[in-house]
Amino acid sequence: MNLKQIVKTFMIFIVISFLSLYITSTSGYYEYNLKQKNILTDEAIERFEKDVKEGKKIIASNYIEEKKDYNNKSSEITLKLSNFISKTFDKIMKYIFKKIESTVNS
């Protein structure tokens, strides 16, 4: 493989990676998780109100959902890569549009 093929393959990989991350972020996955969290919070409120009516001892930790930490090296590296790709893509697009604008204006 020569350098041109390597660069072409790398650029295709970057574009596909960016598009897949973009589609994932716009597909509503994050909003779905927020809705699920809201449903759990509503259920906790109902349990709290029921316990108050029944005169049970109230312990705050029974009604608060603990957040799970899913961060690991893989997710951190992926996030950094995603941010890098996003910034690079943004710079490239700005450069391209500046060149197009200067061509159109001259």
Side-chain angles (χ1 to χ4, degrees), residues 1-17:
M1 289 182 77
N2 61 19
L3 183 61
K4 189 174 183 179
Q5 289 175 327
I6 293 172
V7 171
K8 183 178 178 181
T9 304
F10 181 72
M11 291 303 291
I12 290 171
F13 172 75
I14 287 180
V15 169
I16 290 172
S17 298

Side-chain angles (χ1 to χ4, degrees), residues 57-71:
K57 184 176 179 183
I58 305 299
I59 301 171
S61 62
N62 291 341
Y63 310 103
I64 299 172
E65 296 289 328
E66 289 186 28
K67 292 183 179 179
K68 294 181 182 178
D69 185 18
Y70 294 106
N71 288 337

Side-chain angles (χ1 to χ4, degrees), residues 5 16 28-31 42-43 45 47-48 60 64 66 76-77 85 89 97-98 101 104:
Q5 289 175 327
I16 290 172
Y29 177 75
Y30 182 70
E31 288 79 15
D42 291 342
E43 290 174 357
I45 290 170
R47 282 185 302 172
F48 174 77
I64 299 172
E66 289 186 28
E76 290 173 8
I77 290 170
I85 292 170
F89 186 77
F97 283 113
K98 279 184 182 180
E101 180 182 10
V104 170

Side-chain angles (χ1 to χ4, degrees), residues 55-106:
K56 292 183 180 178
K57 184 176 179 183
I58 305 299
I59 301 171
S61 62
N62 291 341
Y63 310 103
I64 299 172
E65 296 289 328
E66 289 186 28
K67 292 183 179 179
K68 294 181 182 178
D69 185 18
Y70 294 106
N71 288 337
N72 56 33
K73 281 291 185 190
S74 176
S75 64
E76 290 173 8
I77 290 170
T78 305
L79 179 61
K80 288 178 183 178
L81 178 64
S82 172
N83 289 337
F84 172 75
I85 292 170
S86 176
K87 289 177 185 176
T88 305
F89 186 77
D90 188 44
K91 288 178 184 178
I92 291 170
M93 293 309 291
K94 284 180 182 179
Y95 175 77
I96 290 171
F97 283 113
K98 279 184 182 180
K99 289 296 182 182
I100 292 171
E101 180 182 10
S102 65
T103 305
V104 170
N105 289 338
S106 56

